[in-house]
């Protein structure tokens, strides 16, 4: 995956491909977060119609755990996009609809965003891999079913403060600790009272990378 950020005197210019993320905060408010190139991106559905190798979307048998708060995970349905030829219609499957490499099977059309700012604006940017953002609670992406309780809302607020104040190294360390901790897992896709635990990813967590950039008044 790819993220490119260029800073100019009065604007930020970003490009993204895949499932890495970039957050731009202006004066403490989230003003931009890129859309991941996955099955949830409606623009990708239209783009893939022109790909002669695209064979459609299918759901696997297993569910994927996503963090719901600072100590609980919740099961979500995962999907794969299938690509292939008439002779091998399901030769390749990807969770992402855009990816660099893989013989350019998925193709790519980067998302671009330009964020303008004034000299008096504070700008805070965090960029990172999915291994970082999988372990950070963002109001835009966290699962809200069932409804979030007050302590879960506090967890989201705490993570938002950390995103605005922590260095790249501190954010990576925070994500690594969460990957390695023990979690309570709501494993049933519909019955949220069904739990198991503890589960941990100590021996198999995703790659974690982060870059931060700030402009103060």
């Amino acid at each position: 995956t790819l993220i490119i950020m260029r800073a100019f005197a009065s604007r930020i210019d970003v490009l993204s491909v895949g499932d890495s993320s970039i957050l731009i905060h202006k004066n403490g408010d989230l003003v931009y977060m890129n859309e991941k190139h996955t099955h949830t991106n409606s623009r990708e559905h239209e783009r893939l119609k022109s790909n002669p190798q695209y064979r459609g979307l299918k759901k696997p048998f297993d569910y994927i755990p996503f963090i719901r708060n600072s100590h609980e995970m919740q099961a979500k349905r995962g999907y794969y996009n299938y690509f292939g030829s008439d002779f091998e219609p399901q030769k390749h499957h990807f969770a992402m609809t855009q990816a660099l490499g893989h013989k350019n099977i998925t193709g790519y059309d980067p998302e671009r965003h330009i964020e303008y700012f004034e000299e008096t604006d504070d700008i805070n940017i965090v960029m990172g891999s999915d291994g970082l953002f999988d372990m950070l609670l963002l109001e835009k992406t966290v699962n809200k079913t069932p409804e979030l309780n007050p302590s879960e809302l506090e967890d989201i607020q705490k993570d938002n403060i950390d995103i605005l104040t922590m260095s790249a190294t501190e954010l990576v360390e925070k994500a690594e600790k969460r990957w390695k901790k023990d979690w309570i897992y709501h494993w049933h896709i519909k019955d949220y009272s069904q739990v198991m635990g503890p589960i941990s990813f100590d021996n198999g967590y995703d790659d974690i990378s982060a870059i931060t950039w700030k402009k103060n008044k």
Side-chain angles (χ1 to χ4, degrees):
T1 64
L2 171 73
I3 285 180
I4 296 175
M5 188 278 284
R6 298 185 298 173
F8 298 91
S10 61
R11 74 183 193 274
I12 300 295
D13 193 349
V14 298
L15 293 172
S16 61
V17 171
D19 62 354
S20 294
S21 296
I22 176 168
L23 275 64
I24 301 178
H25 284 82
K26 181 188 293 184
N27 301 321
D29 296 324
L30 180 64
V31 293
Y32 173 73
M33 180 177 181
N34 63 315
E35 293 289 339
K36 293 184 178 182
H37 294 128
T38 66
H39 75 279
T40 60
N41 190 327
S42 59
R43 287 173 293 183
E44 282 297 280
H45 297 170
E46 293 300 314
R47 187 185 70 86
L48 288 175
K49 289 179 181 179
S50 63
N51 188 321
Q53 295 191 72
Y54 185 58
R55 293 295 181 268
L57 187 70
K58 294 187 178 182
K59 55 187 177 183
F61 294 108
D62 297 330
Y63 297 117
I64 302 172
F66 286 86
I67 65 171
R68 178 177 170 86
N69 53 51
S70 61
H71 59 281
E72 293 180 320
M73 287 192 167
Q74 183 175 331
K76 283 181 65 176
R77 173 73 73 183
Y79 291 87
Y80 285 105
N81 299 280
Y82 282 82
F83 297 82
S85 65
D86 292 337
F87 302 101
E88 297 178 293
Q90 297 187 23
K91 183 177 182 180
H92 306 282
H93 60 280
F94 304 96
M96 290 181 291
T97 55
Q98 292 190 35
L100 301 176
H102 299 297
K103 299 181 180 181
N104 196 28
I105 292 169
T106 67
Y108 52 90
D109 179 20
E111 176 176 322
R112 183 181 183 186
H113 176 76
I114 299 176
E115 185 66 36
Y116 292 94
F117 57 84
E118 304 292 336
E119 186 177 347
T120 55
D121 290 326
D122 283 332
I123 302 295
N124 184 84
I125 296 177
V126 175
M127 297 173 280
S129 63
D130 57 332
L132 174 74
F133 285 98
D134 284 349
M135 288 293 125
L136 294 178
L137 293 159
L138 305 175
E139 186 173 1
K140 182 177 179 180
T141 59
V142 73
N143 197 334
K144 298 180 177 66
T145 304
E147 185 177 354
L148 297 170
N149 61 44
S151 65
E152 290 171 323
L153 292 173
E154 288 179 3
D155 284 346
I156 295 174
Q157 294 169 358
K158 176 63 166 61
D159 276 17
N160 186 69
I161 292 172
D162 289 345
I163 288 169
L164 289 170
T165 59
M166 281 185 168
S167 67
T169 299
E170 290 170 330
L171 287 170
V172 168
E173 291 173 348
K174 177 185 178 86
E176 182 181 15
K177 288 179 181 178
R178 281 189 170 172
W179 277 111
K180 291 181 175 181
K181 69 177 292 183
D182 291 335
W183 295 87
I184 298 171
Y185 183 33
H186 296 259
W187 61 270
H188 199 285
I189 197 71
K190 295 180 179 180
D191 184 356
Y192 305 108
S193 67
Q194 300 295 317
V195 297
M196 62 180 292
I199 66 169
S200 172
F201 301 92
D202 191 9
N203 297 318
Y205 56 88
D206 208 346
D207 60 291
I208 310 169
S209 59
I211 298 172
T212 58
W213 186 90
K214 298 179 186 293
K215 184 202 80 71
N216 298 319
K217 295 178 183 178

